[in-house]
Amino acid sequence: MALDPRLVSPKEKPLFVAGAIFSGLVWLVAVVSIVGLLYALLGALFVLGAHALFLAHVRTNAVRVDERQLPDLHARVKAAAARLGLQDVPAVYVMNGGGLLNAFATKLLSRRYVILLSDLVDHCEDPRQVDFVVGHELGHFAAGHLKWNAFLLPYAIVPWLGAAYARAREYTCDRCGLAAAGDLEQSMRGLVVLSAGGRIAARVDLAAFASQRQEAGEFWPTVLELTSYHPFLSKRVAALHELSAPGSAQAVRRSVAGWIFAPALGVLGGGAGAAPVMVVAIVGMLAAVAIPNFVRYQLKAKDAGAQAALQALYRAEVAAHEKEGSFRELQLGEAATRTPAAFADAELAAARELGWQPPTGGHHVYTVGVGRTQDGRQAFAACAESDADGDGVYAAWMVWEPLDDGEGNLIAPASPCRFQPKLARAAVFGEGDAAGVPVRVSPDDVF
């Protein structure tokens, strides 16, 4: 079932058509120029990765709303989705917003999400206010807003029009919120909750609050509104009342000077006139989350290679012992650094003679120490050390081939590690260790 067209703001469609034409031309130029398309693809991949990491944080830390968790809220979400004609209900999460009163809809490829900040949910004293908030966010999906976001990205920074289209979408979603809540007063109070919190929203005179929109016609409010992606809350309350009682809320004339200077002065209020600055800020914040996580994933992948390498080294040593009756001491690499480890030709030749092929492009150096008892029996310990992040603190993996000391105890040589790695446990064969099973003896945050 499609969204009722009466819920769509009258200004949204013509502004969308203008945006589609403009954005289509921009993307056409990007495709023709090749270089522009390449930059666009690289930027899209970066933003997609950063957004994926953010949603991974939400999915693993926020509370998923379903039949088992917050079932009452889940039922209200399903009811709101049904009223708006949504067959597939997006995943809904409640997360701590640190005091912020907000909610938002987002998507990652085909997966759709609504994220409600917990303080907003707590402040909605009437459940119909929650219905309004949920309906507003679901409205973005019902109206198809998010599926056009990437295509319309160039339009977002067009003076006057880009922000006007964004505001029209918000008016559409307010109508969806009203349809979901089914109550005009509580829908308007749901907007006031965003303004002043729940307890105050319950006591606010809605007509008086809506009348505050008259001040929007002055110079500075005009500048702010024309460069904002969300309409003023007082205007949104008045628009809901106008929808239910046509003619009850007269339009407010904006300042002509404000119209003229809005694109230039919008940067002061952080509106769409400051879109390039805001894009840089947003990308910077996303990078602050994405880059450290990406680097950590890379370090983990590099570190995991040592486990497989030590297993192969262990098998080669055991095979050599079975063939020759002795283990071989071995040393590969002079130092572990941020750059891939380099091995001397003689070291590589010794490894090949043993029957072990050291990994190429890895960040670990390897050492095998052999111990002997008085009666000639042998055991060995092998160590893989790295400093892949270049902080001067080494991490280590170890593997052992112990022997029986004659009293039923398994013993192995002392650690052959050469660079004093930071340890989370003793670098010696102990209880719980097994022959041939590599063990990371350093803390998880050291690479």
Side-chain angles (χ1 to χ4, degrees), residues 297-427:
Y297 293 149
Q298 281 190 317
L299 292 173
K300 277 192 169 184
K302 294 172 182 176
D303 185 66
Q307 184 177 13
L310 281 181
Q311 286 176 327
L313 175 56
Y314 172 83
R315 291 192 295 267
E317 285 281 3
V318 170
H321 186 273
E322 292 176 352
K323 181 179 179 180
E324 303 170 358
S326 63
F327 297 116
R328 296 190 184 187
E329 292 192 337
L330 198 66
Q331 180 174 309
L332 274 79
E334 291 298 324
T337 64
R338 186 193 297 267
T339 58
F343 305 135
D345 291 341
E347 295 172 339
L348 292 173
R352 286 193 294 269
E353 186 178 347
L354 177 64
W356 176 57
Q357 179 62 48
T360 57
H363 287 68
H364 293 79
V365 296
Y366 299 87
T367 311
V368 177
V370 179
R372 298 169 178 82
T373 62
Q374 290 183 349
D375 58 3
R377 292 181 300 147
Q378 293 185 346
F380 79 83
C383 179
E385 298 171 271
S386 68
D387 182 22
D389 55 6
D391 63 356
V393 180
Y394 283 78
W397 284 81
M398 291 196 65
V399 69
W400 299 271
E401 174 63 7
L403 56 79
D404 193 312
D405 65 356
E407 298 180 359
N409 300 313
L410 293 176
I411 58 174
S415 167
C417 298
R418 292 176 277 151
F419 299 100
Q420 298 183 329
K422 185 174 182 179
L423 300 177
R425 50 154 286 177

Side-chain angles (χ1 to χ4, degrees), residues 272-284:
V277 176
M278 296 300 293
V279 168
V280 171
I282 292 171
V283 169

Side-chain angles (χ1 to χ4, degrees), residues 57-342:
H57 169 80
V58 171
R59 291 162 54 200
T60 55
N61 290 284
V63 176
R64 172 72 182 265
V65 178
D66 56 24
E67 295 87 350
R68 296 178 299 167
Q69 299 188 123
L70 306 176
D72 292 344
L73 180 56
H74 178 65
R76 306 192 82 86
V77 170
K78 291 181 64 176
R83 293 190 188 103
L84 298 177
L86 280 176
Q87 294 182 344
D88 298 323
V89 181
V92 179
Y93 290 85
V94 177
M95 68 179 293
N96 181 17
L100 292 177
L101 302 178
N102 203 0
F104 56 95
T106 187
K107 67 190 292 285
L108 181 65
L109 301 179
S110 62
R111 303 181 70 174
R112 305 184 298 175
Y113 303 88
V114 170
I115 299 169
L116 308 172
L117 298 190
S118 58
D119 290 277
L120 176 57
V121 177
D122 290 340
H123 275 265
C124 290
E125 296 188 345
D126 190 296
R128 289 167 293 184
Q129 296 169 7
V130 176
D131 292 341
F132 172 80
V133 172
V134 170
H136 177 101
E137 302 307 331
L138 292 177
H140 284 296
F141 295 112
H145 293 159
L146 272 67
K147 67 182 180 181
W148 292 102
N149 274 356
F151 177 73
L152 293 173
L153 187 60
Y155 188 44
I157 61 175
V158 174
W160 298 293
L161 295 180
Y165 173 63
R167 293 194 302 273
R169 299 200 315 182
E170 295 303 315
Y171 281 123
T172 293
C173 291
D174 282 348
R175 293 180 173 207
C176 292
L178 174 58
D183 187 286
L184 175 62
E185 179 182 349
Q186 294 306 325
S187 295
M188 292 192 292
R189 292 199 186 279
L191 287 169
V192 181
V193 169
L194 299 174
S195 173
R199 285 181 293 181
I200 292 178
R203 305 197 308 269
V204 164
D205 184 308
L206 294 174
F209 183 74
S211 70
Q212 291 180 222
R213 74 188 190 282
Q214 299 298 332
E215 298 183 31
E218 298 176 3
F219 175 81
W220 286 110
T222 295
V223 170
L224 178 60
E225 183 179 27
L226 292 178
T227 55
S228 297
Y229 293 120
H230 285 73
F232 294 137
L233 287 170
S234 57
K235 279 195 168 185
R236 292 169 66 179
V237 168
L240 285 182
H241 196 272
E242 172 68 17
L243 180 65
S244 299
S248 60
Q250 298 298 318
V252 178
R253 294 179 61 86
R254 296 189 178 104
S255 162
V256 175
W259 269 96
I260 296 172
F261 289 101
L265 296 177
V267 65
L268 301 177
V277 176
M278 296 300 293
V279 168
V280 171
I282 292 171
V283 169
M285 288 186 290
L286 291 174
V289 174
I291 292 177
N293 280 285
F294 179 68
V295 170
R296 181 175 177 82
Y297 293 149
Q298 281 190 317
L299 292 173
K300 277 192 169 184
K302 294 172 182 176
D303 185 66
Q307 184 177 13
L310 281 181
Q311 286 176 327
L313 175 56
Y314 172 83
R315 291 192 295 267
E317 285 281 3
V318 170
H321 186 273
E322 292 176 352
K323 181 179 179 180
E324 303 170 358
S326 63
F327 297 116
R328 296 190 184 187
E329 292 192 337
L330 198 66
Q331 180 174 309
L332 274 79
E334 291 298 324
T337 64
R338 186 193 297 267
T339 58

